Amino acid sequence: MLDFEEELKRFRPSLEVGEVEDAIRREDITDMTDLMVELLKDRDGQI
């Protein structure tokens, strides 16, 4: 059975859309394009 009081204590509201966008931009995430550029630089000797 659910303990609603306990669930309310653990509740964390989700981020708003604007906050999510900011959080994503702050992260330094390497995507496939970044990886391909690095591989091509290494292949061509442009380290």
Side-chain angles (χ1 to χ4, degrees):
M1 183 141 199
L2 287 176
D3 181 357
F4 288 107
E5 294 300 320
E6 189 63 33
E7 292 296 324
L8 286 174
K9 288 178 190 175
R10 293 189 309 194
F11 175 75
R12 300 288 179 260
S14 63
L15 297 173
E16 295 296 325
V17 173
E19 293 170 331
V20 170
E21 290 173 349
D22 292 340
I24 290 171
R25 286 190 188 110
R26 283 192 303 264
E27 292 294 319
D28 184 21
I29 300 173
T30 302
D31 63 7
M32 287 302 293
T33 305
D34 296 332
L35 293 173
M36 291 301 294
V37 168
E38 289 301 315
L39 287 172
L40 291 173
K41 283 181 182 178
D42 289 346
R43 183 193 71 179
D44 295 338
Q46 299 176 1
I47 298 174

